[in-house]
Amino acid sequence: MLERLKEFASEFFVTGDPLIYGADVAIGITMITIVAVLTYFKKWGWLWRNWLTTVDHKKIGIMYIIASIIMLFRGGVDALMMRLQLAMPNMDFLHPEHYNQVFTTHGTIMILFMAMPFMFGLFNVIVPLQIGARDVAFPFLNALSFWLFFLGAMLFNLSFVIGGSPDAGWLSYPPLSELSHSPGVGQNFYIWGIQISGIGSLATGINFLVTIIKMRAPGMKWMKMPMFTWSVFSTCIIILFAFPILTVTLALLFLDRFAGAHFFTLDLGGNPMMYINLIWMWGHPEVYIVVLPAFGVFSEIVSTFSKKKLFGYKSMVFAMLIISFLSFFTWAHHFFTMGSGADVNAFFAVTTMLIAIPTGVKIFNWLFTMFRGRIRMDTPMLWTLAFIPCFIVGGMTGVMLSVAPADFQFHNSYFLIAHFHQVLIGGVVFGYFAGLYYWWPKMFGFQLPEKLGKWAFWTWNIGFYVCFMPQYAVGLMGMTRRLSTYGWDTGWWELNFVSTIGAFLMGVGFLFQVAQIADGIRKYKTLKASGDPWGGRTLEWSIPSPAPEYNFAITPRGDDIDEWWEEKERRAKGIYPPEQPLEPIHMPKNSAIPFIMSICWFVAGFGFVFGWLWMAILGLAGVGICMIARSFSYDTDYYIPVDEIKRTEASLRGSV
Amino acid sequence: MNKKPRSLIRIIIPVVLTLVTIALIVWPMLAGGQYVVLDPKGPVGASQRDLIVISTILCAVVIVPVLILSAVIVWRYRDKPDNKSAYEPNWSHSTKAEAIWWTVPIIIIGLLAVVTIRYTYDLEPSKPLASEKAPVTIQVSSLDWKWLFMYPEQGIATVNTLNIPADRPVKFELTADSPMNSFWIPQLGGQIYTMSGMAMTLYLQADHEGQYWGSGANFTGEHFAQMRFDVNATSEEDFDKWVTEVKQQSQPLTQETYKTLAEPGTSNVAYYSSFPEGLFQDIVTKYVIDGQSAHSKHGEASGAKEITTQDVDKSAN
C-alpha cells in the first residue's frame, strides 16, 4: 500500500529538479502566510463579502489586474530563466525538456493569463464609467467570467508542480501535442486551463459588446463614444468571432487525446495542418484583441496630456473597425513555408500588409493630437511616448515579415521573436502600463509616486532595446527560436549575452514598479487623488476617486466625445447643469455562485487532466447544480436609498 | 539651476546605451560577416536578400520621417511655461492632412504589394531554377532529432551532413517522419516545412564551393536544438569522388537500421552506401489507406506533391 502511494506521488508531483523543489517550498510558505494573515486579522468574512462574491465591475477589474500582474511575474521569471540559459553557448542551466516547458508556459501565460486579464481588468474598471453606466450589462456573468479565467489560470499553473508542464510550444501543434509525442498530463493541463478561462473570455466579450450597445448614457451616440470604448467595442467583435474557434480546436485536440479520435493525426485520416490553420485563425486575431484596447488607452492619454482634442476621431474609429475586420484574413502568414503555393501566399501577404495602413493612420493621428498641444510628461504619457517609436519600428519589421518570400528567411528565426516582442511589449504591455498609471487614481483613490515610476520607465525601456535589438541581428545570423542551447562555433553568443542583460534590466524595471506601488500604498493618505487628477476629458473623471459602488449618483449625459472637458468649460463660464433630484439606485446583489461554479469547473478540469472520470463527473455535476440554483434565485437585486447616496456623495466629495 | 544636469543625465543614459547596442550589432558584422541571411551564396538566397533590402527601404521611407517628426513634435510642444509655440486645443480635424496620411501608406503598401506578388511567384519554392545543368535530386526526411538525406541518383544516404555539387540546381524533396520541422540553409535560401504525409519541393543552388550550414527551424521536441547539419558544396568531380567513397566505405541503410534511426534520439554524422528502394515514398505514404492520398480531401497545393500508392507502384517499377 505504502509502495503504491509512493509510486503515485512520484508521478503526481513533479520531482527531480531542485528549481521546482524550491518553488514548492515558496508556494507552501506563501499559502501558509496568506491563511495566517487572513486568520490573524480576522479578514475571511471581508474577503468573502467584498471580493470573492462581488459583482461590482470595478472590484472585478481590480482582481483581474492583480491576477495579471502575478502572472506577469511568473511569465517574466520564465523569460529570465530562458535568457539565462541562452546567455552563453553550451549553458547547462536548464536541460532541454525543462527549457521546452519554460518557453511553452512563458508564451501561454503572457498572452492568455497576463495580457488578456490585464485587458479585461481595464475594460471592467473603465468602460461602464466612461459610458456613464452604473454597471455592465450582465454583472453576474461578469463575476463568473472572472472566476473562470482565474481558476483556469490556476489549473494551468498547477502543472508546474503537479503532473508536469506542457512542452509542445504555446500553440501546441500536433502531433507534438498528441498522446504519441506528449504522453504526460502537461498537454491536458494546457487544454483545460485555456478551455476554462477561454469560456470566461468569450462571455466577457459578449458582456461588453452588450454593455456598450445598450448601456450608454443618454445623448451618447455611436460617434460620441470615447476612443477607449470604441477600442473595447472593436476588440469584443473580434473576441466574439475568434474565441469559439479556439474552444472548438482545443475540444477536438482533447478528443484526440482522451477519446482516441483522429482529428489531427495522419493515421486514420486526420490532419495536423488543420489544427495549425484553426489555431492561427484564433491566434492572429488574438494579437489584435490585445493590442486594440492599448490603442484606445493611448488615444485617451495622448489627448488628456496634450490638453487637446483627439485628432481625426472619425479616422480613428474607422481604422479600428478595419483592423478588426482585416485581422481575420492574416492567419496564413504564420505558415508561408507550408507550401500552399504562390496564390495563397500572395493573398495573405497583401492582406497582412494592409493592416499597416490603418495602424499608420492612427500613429499620425496621435502625433497630430500632440501637435499644437501642451504635452505633460507624467508616467502615463511617458509610456505612451515610448510606445510610438517602439511600435513604428515593430510595425515596420512586421511588414517586412509579411513579404512572403522574404519570410522564408525570417520564419522561426529570432528576427520574428524580436518583432513580436516589440509589438507586444511596445504596444500591449506599454499600453496597459500606461492605462494602469492613468486610471490608478480612479481605481484606488490615490496617486502613485512618480519618481519610482520614472525609474521603472527608464529601466524597462532601456532594457527592452538592449534585449530585443540584438535578437533582430541574431535572427539574420540564422539563430532559430526555441533552441535550448547552441555552440561556440555559431558566433551568436555576444549578442545573446547582451540580450540577456537587457532582459534582466526589464526585470529590474518590474521590481521598481512593485516598489512604486508598495510606496504608494504606504503613503496613500498623502497621495489622495481628486476625482479628476489629470485634467481628464471623459465621464469617468466627473465622479469621485475611487468611484462609489453605484458610479454615478445622477445619470450623466454624453452629448460630446469630451463630455467632461466641455462640462468643465461650461462651468468655467458659469453655466451649470440644472439640479436633478436623486433617485434610489437599482443594483445587483452579490452572489457566491460564480465562485463556487468556477471551483466546480476547476475540479472537473483536474479530473479530465488526470483522466479521473469520477472527479470530472463530480465537477460537472457541481456546475449543473450551480446553474440550477441560479435559475431559481429570484432575489438578485436591491435599491440603494437616496439617504445613503447622499451620505456617500458627501463623504467622497467632502474629502476632496 | 538644479534641473539642468539631471535632465542631461536623462538624455545621456539612453543615448549611451543605444550606442552600445548599435555597436554590438555592427561589430560582428564588421568582424566576420556572420549575417548569413544577408550574405547569400546562391541565386535563391540572393533574390531573398534583395527583397529584404527593397522592403526595408520602402518601409524606411515612411518610418524614418515619422520617427523624426514625432521627436520634433514632442520636443516642440512640451508643456513648459516659456513654450511659445502655438496651442490650439480644439483643432482636431483637417481633411487635407488626413487624406495625406491615408494616401501615403496606401501608396507605399501598394508598391510593396506589387513587389511582393512578383517575387512570390518568382521564388515559389517548387519552381525549377533557370540553369543549363540538370538538377540533382536529394530526398530529405526530418526525423526525431536528426536529418536523413537520400541521394536517389547516386544511391547513397547520409545523416546530419549534406554534400551538393556547387553551381548546379538541387531539387530537394522533403518530408518528415516526425512532427513538422522546417528545412533551412540560410545562405542558400529560405526554408520550407517538412511534413508527414506530404512531399514538398524546394529548389536551391550554391553558386560557390564552400561549407555552409543548415538547421531545423520548426520546434519538434526535446533535442530539437541538435538538428544542425553541414552543407558541403563542392565541385562536380569532388562530389562524384565523395559519392564513390561513401559507396565503398560505408554500410548500407536497411529497413531495420532505418527503423532504429527513426526512433526519437540524437545522432552523429553517418554515411550509408545504399538505402532501401522507395524509402522516401514509403515515408510519405506511411499513413495512406486504400490507395487514397492522405490529403485527397484537401485542395491541391501547388508546392506539395500528392503521392498516392499508385504513384509509388509506378516509381517502384
Side-chain angles (χ1 to χ4, degrees):
Chain A
M1 183 66 199
L2 194 70
E3 275 307 304
R4 278 180 60 192
L5 210 64
K6 261 191 189 164
E7 199 186 303
F8 169 76
S10 73
E11 274 171 31
F12 189 68
F13 296 106
V14 177
T15 50
D17 193 315
L19 284 172
I20 288 178
Y21 289 134
D24 285 336
V25 174
I27 292 170
I29 292 173
T30 318
M31 295 289 237
I32 294 166
T33 320
I34 292 173
V35 171
V37 167
L38 284 172
T39 313
Y40 183 80
F41 289 103
K42 300 201 173 64
K43 286 288 188 189
W44 286 104
W46 165 84
L47 184 70
W48 179 257
R49 278 188 305 276
N50 280 309
W51 297 96
L52 300 187
T53 61
T54 188
V55 290
D56 181 345
H57 65 93
K58 297 175 290 293
K59 285 183 176 162
I60 290 172
I62 289 169
M63 290 194 290
Y64 264 123
I65 291 173
I66 293 172
S68 155
I69 289 173
I70 295 170
M71 289 294 103
L72 176 63
F73 173 75
R74 199 220 141 159
V77 171
D78 281 346
L80 295 185
M81 294 204 296
M82 277 189 274
R83 278 319 319 171
L84 206 57
Q85 168 68 20
L86 291 175
M88 301 276 263
N90 307 327
M91 231 358 199
D92 208 14
F93 173 62
L94 300 173
H95 56 84
E97 202 189 342
H98 195 178
Y99 183 85
N100 297 347
Q101 295 176 347
V102 169
F103 74 64
T104 301
T105 48
H106 167 75
T108 312
I109 284 176
M110 285 305 201
I111 292 285
L112 285 158
F113 303 130
M114 190 284 282
M116 290 294 280
F118 210 136
M119 173 180 98
F120 288 148
L122 294 176
F123 282 20
N124 265 290
V125 174
I126 298 310
V127 169
L129 299 183
Q130 222 175 30
I131 61 173
R134 292 211 166 103
D135 211 327
V136 295
F138 310 112
F140 173 88
L141 182 67
N142 198 24
L144 183 61
S145 295
F146 170 74
W147 288 111
L148 283 173
F149 145 72
F150 185 77
L151 287 155
M154 289 304 110
L155 183 64
F156 181 87
N157 274 279
L158 212 57
S159 66
F160 113 95
V161 286
I162 291 178
S165 298
D167 61 357
W170 84 276
L171 287 176
S172 286
Y173 287 1
L176 211 53
S177 54
E178 296 275 1
L179 271 185
S180 55
H181 291 77
S182 299
V185 294
Q187 283 309 317
N188 298 345
F189 272 116
Y190 173 92
I191 292 170
W192 283 97
I194 296 178
Q195 200 65 296
I196 291 171
S197 71
I199 302 168
S201 303
L202 182 57
T204 306
I206 296 169
N207 206 341
F208 277 85
L209 214 49
V210 179
T211 304
I212 293 171
I213 294 173
K214 299 292 283 182
M215 298 184 66
R216 280 168 290 144
M220 190 180 278
K221 300 223 163 60
W222 282 105
M223 291 313 270
K224 301 288 175 202
M225 262 173 21
M227 212 57 222
F228 179 68
T229 303
W230 260 117
S231 73
V232 174
F233 184 75
S234 6
T235 296
C236 289
I237 294 175
I238 312 183
I239 292 178
L240 191 67
F241 288 102
F243 265 81
I245 308 177
L246 176 69
T247 307
V248 171
T249 311
L250 290 179
L252 295 180
L253 183 63
F254 174 71
L255 287 176
D256 271 12
R257 290 179 61 89
F258 190 74
H262 290 270
F263 291 107
F264 304 128
T265 60
L266 277 172
D267 45 331
L268 297 176
N271 191 342
M273 291 323 278
M274 197 59 191
Y275 179 93
I276 297 173
N277 274 287
L278 282 171
I279 199 89
W280 279 117
M281 275 184 210
W282 159 78
H284 204 84
E286 166 68 13
V287 179
Y288 297 101
I289 289 176
V290 292
V291 84
L292 280 178
F295 290 171
V297 171
F298 293 131
S299 304
E300 300 291 337
I301 291 175
V302 162
S303 152
T304 301
F305 288 86
S306 309
K307 281 202 262 176
K308 199 164 158 277
K309 269 198 175 134
L310 183 70
F311 199 88
Y313 175 85
K314 281 183 190 160
S315 273
M316 288 297 231
V317 171
F318 188 50
M320 238 167 222
L321 293 174
I322 294 184
I323 293 175
S324 56
F325 175 74
L326 284 178
S327 69
F328 285 96
F329 298 92
T330 57
W331 83 87
H333 74 223
H334 293 270
F335 34 90
F336 279 145
T337 57
M338 188 172 97
S340 30
D343 296 341
V344 173
N345 280 1
F347 175 79
F348 281 96
V350 173
T351 47
T352 304
M353 284 171 197
L354 286 180
I355 293 207
I357 299 170
T359 315
V361 167
K362 298 182 85 63
I363 303 256
F364 280 112
N365 280 331
W366 287 317
L367 287 180
F368 277 79
T369 305
M370 293 190 272
F371 183 76
R372 294 188 185 158
R374 279 293 173 271
I375 306 167
R376 270 179 302 143
M377 304 286 178
D378 300 289
T379 36
M381 189 59 178
L382 278 182
W383 286 98
T384 306
L385 292 178
F387 148 81
I388 290 176
C390 197
F391 205 80
I392 291 177
V393 175
M396 162 171 161
T397 53
V399 171
M400 289 166 65
L401 282 163
S402 74
V403 178
D407 183 67
F408 295 159
Q409 286 283 30
F410 294 135
H411 188 55
N412 275 333
S413 80
Y414 262 74
F415 191 91
L416 165 81
I417 308 300
H419 155 73
F420 75 70
H421 281 94
Q422 186 151 22
V423 284
L424 282 173
I425 295 180
V428 178
V429 179
F430 286 12
Y432 294 172
F433 282 167
L436 182 63
Y437 284 118
Y438 182 54
W439 283 306
W440 183 278
K442 190 51 61 189
M443 289 183 222
F444 299 103
F446 65 93
Q447 288 197 276
L448 286 172
E450 286 272 299
K451 198 173 175 188
L452 278 167
K454 286 191 173 153
W455 276 98
F457 171 79
W458 284 109
T459 32
W460 255 104
N461 269 277
I462 295 169
F464 173 83
Y465 287 98
V466 175
C467 182
F468 291 106
M469 292 302 115
Q471 293 188 10
Y472 281 116
V474 100
L476 294 174
M477 292 179 172
M479 180 161 166
T480 47
R481 72 195 298 194
R482 291 170 176 172
L483 287 180
S484 58
T485 188
Y486 54 92
W488 287 100
D489 59 329
T490 53
W492 300 335
W493 86 268
E494 295 96 334
L495 289 169
N496 272 297
F497 191 77
V498 173
S499 178
T500 301
I501 294 174
F504 277 85
L505 264 179
M506 285 194 273
V508 173
F510 178 78
L511 293 181
F512 273 125
Q513 288 178 305
V514 174
Q516 181 191 16
I517 291 173
D519 194 40
I521 293 171
R522 200 163 54 90
K523 302 179 191 153
Y524 82 96
K525 278 189 179 138
T526 57
L527 294 166
K528 233 167 174 15
S530 69
D532 184 13
W534 309 112
R537 312 179 68 88
T538 38
L539 283 175
E540 73 267 31
W541 303 110
S542 67
I543 53 171
S545 302
E549 61 172 325
Y550 48 77
N551 298 351
F552 297 88
I554 292 167
T555 309
R557 286 197 62 86
D559 295 310
D560 211 286
I561 303 162
D562 299 312
E563 179 60 31
W564 175 236
W565 182 263
E566 302 290 334
E567 173 72 24
K568 284 189 281 190
E569 302 262 281
R570 285 195 291 270
R571 285 185 191 181
K573 287 182 202 147
I575 310 167
Y576 281 84
E579 280 283 320
Q580 278 182 45
L582 288 172
E583 280 169 20
I585 295 172
H586 183 211
M587 296 294 286
K589 265 188 183 165
N590 283 0
S591 169
I593 294 176
F595 182 66
I596 296 169
M597 186 159 140
S598 304
I599 293 212
C600 295
W601 268 112
F602 180 90
V603 171
F606 197 82
F608 279 124
V609 167
F610 282 91
W612 299 336
L613 223 48
W614 60 269
M615 195 190 233
I617 291 170
L618 210 67
L620 290 177
V623 172
I625 291 167
C626 284
M627 287 180 175
I628 293 166
R630 173 66 183 174
S631 70
F632 282 102
S633 54
Y634 300 108
D635 179 26
T636 56
D637 51 356
Y638 70 108
Y639 280 87
I640 303 177
V642 172
D643 287 347
E644 199 186 319
I645 304 169
K646 275 185 183 155
R647 270 200 309 278
T648 318
E649 287 291 307
S651 78
L652 283 171
R653 295 198 186 263
S655 65
V656 170
Chain B
M1 281 313 283
N2 223 351
K3 270 206 153 168
K4 265 225 156 143
R6 238 184 92 215
S7 59
L8 257 183
I9 284 174
R10 273 193 201 160
I11 296 167
I12 290 168
I13 294 175
V15 167
V16 167
L17 278 159
T18 318
L19 287 178
V20 169
T21 316
I22 292 170
L24 275 157
I25 294 168
V26 175
W27 163 46
M29 200 198 286
L30 299 175
Q34 295 154 336
Y35 284 82
V36 287
V37 169
L38 303 178
D39 182 26
K41 302 291 183 198
V44 177
S47 296
Q48 282 162 341
R49 193 250 342 257
D50 295 346
L51 184 57
I52 290 171
V53 172
I54 295 169
S55 57
T56 313
I57 291 171
L58 271 175
C59 291
V61 167
V62 195
I63 73 146
V64 173
V66 175
L67 285 173
I68 296 168
L69 183 70
S70 13
V72 170
I73 288 179
V74 171
W75 182 254
R76 176 128 186 243
Y77 298 100
R78 71 202 187 284
D79 190 23
K80 285 272 144 66
D82 55 347
N83 193 337
K84 293 203 175 54
S85 17
Y87 174 53
E88 292 180 56
N90 290 319
W91 185 62
S92 64
H93 178 67
S94 152
T95 312
K96 207 192 273 172
E98 283 180 71
I100 291 174
W101 60 70
W102 274 101
T103 319
V104 172
I106 288 176
I107 291 171
I108 298 282
I109 295 296
L111 282 175
L112 191 62
V114 171
V115 175
T116 302
I117 291 171
R118 233 200 67 209
Y119 273 88
T120 305
Y121 284 92
D122 276 358
L123 288 171
E124 161 57 37
S126 61
K127 200 177 133 188
L129 295 175
S131 170
E132 287 157 13
K133 299 175 188 168
V136 193
T137 303
I138 296 177
Q139 296 169 330
V140 182
S141 181
S142 65
L143 307 177
D144 262 340
W145 300 296
K146 60 202 80 83
W147 289 96
L148 172 65
F149 302 105
M150 290 176 280
Y151 303 68
E153 289 146 25
Q154 287 73 23
I156 57 165
T158 58
V159 169
N160 285 346
T161 186
L162 177 62
N163 278 43
I164 55 169
D167 205 26
R168 186 173 157 193
V170 184
K171 181 189 182 191
F172 290 105
E173 293 180 344
L174 307 112
T175 191
D177 199 358
S178 69
M180 177 175 100
N181 209 312
S182 191
F183 176 78
W184 191 27
I185 307 169
Q187 283 191 294
L188 300 189
Q191 56 192 293
I192 197 138
Y193 284 155
T194 58
M195 294 172 279
S196 306
M198 302 271 269
M200 305 283 283
T201 308
L202 171 68
Y203 281 91
L204 292 176
Q205 178 178 317
D207 282 341
H208 312 278
E209 293 174 25
Q211 196 181 54
Y212 316 115
W213 57 264
S215 69
N218 200 65
F219 178 64
T220 50
E222 192 172 350
H223 292 292
F224 158 72
Q226 316 302 321
M227 293 186 71
R228 260 178 68 133
F229 55 91
D230 281 329
V231 182
N232 302 297
T234 59
S235 66
E236 203 79 43
E237 300 86 68
D238 286 348
F239 179 72
D240 293 338
K241 214 191 289 166
W242 172 79
V243 170
T244 326
E245 262 171 42
V246 172
K247 273 202 180 290
Q248 286 167 351
Q249 295 172 4
S250 323
Q251 300 293 314
L253 177 70
T254 60
Q255 289 290 0
E256 286 69 47
T257 32
Y258 175 73
K259 245 177 218 150
T260 335
L261 195 64
E263 301 269 310
T266 56
S267 167
N268 294 324
V269 170
Y271 302 90
Y272 298 99
S273 59
S274 68
F275 61 89
E277 192 163 340
L279 178 59
F280 183 78
Q281 282 76 5
D282 289 348
I283 298 172
V284 176
T285 53
K286 192 171 164 184
Y287 301 105
V288 174
I289 317 157
D290 301 336
Q292 270 207 330
S293 154
H295 294 276
S296 58
K297 288 186 191 71
H298 312 287
E300 188 90 8
S302 63
K305 194 165 97 193
E306 302 284 351
I307 296 184
T308 62
T309 38
Q310 280 89 357
D311 287 336
V312 176
D313 292 342
K314 261 181 251 160
S315 68
N317 292 334

